[in-house]
Amino acid sequence: MTYIVETYTLCDGWVNTWHIEENGVVSPETFPTRAAAQAALDEFFAEIAEEIGIGQRAPDEGYDRDEFRIAKVGAP
């Protein structure tokens, strides 16, 4: 069982837009547990908040947590 972070998009609904690159190969990012996926999502939001705090992003250039969800993939 693995987990992914999905992002809500207007055109496609809920999709996995999180990818990683290893040795030049890009693939969807997966997590071994729901907790690991949540930790990655929390880290993402912390980085965005930091960028806003130091002026790298405008306050209205953040994201809403409702635009993201953790989904289970693989065999039940």
Side-chain angles (χ1 to χ4, degrees):
M1 187 80 53
T2 58
Y3 295 84
I4 58 173
V5 174
E6 293 183 320
T7 306
Y8 185 77
T9 65
L10 291 175
C11 294
D12 297 318
W14 291 103
V15 294
N16 182 6
T17 60
W18 289 35
H19 292 78
I20 56 173
E21 181 179 343
E22 294 181 281
N23 301 320
V25 177
V26 177
S27 58
E29 185 169 15
T30 61
F31 303 91
T33 64
R34 179 177 290 278
Q38 185 64 56
L41 190 54
D42 292 343
E43 181 179 342
F44 170 75
F45 277 102
E47 289 173 4
I48 298 299
E50 180 180 342
E51 290 173 3
I52 290 171
I54 62 175
Q56 286 182 327
R57 286 178 182 260
D60 64 347
E61 292 178 337
Y63 296 94
D64 187 329
R65 282 192 176 264
D66 291 341
E67 297 173 11
F68 298 87
R69 72 178 183 185
I70 297 169
K72 188 184 326 182
V73 293

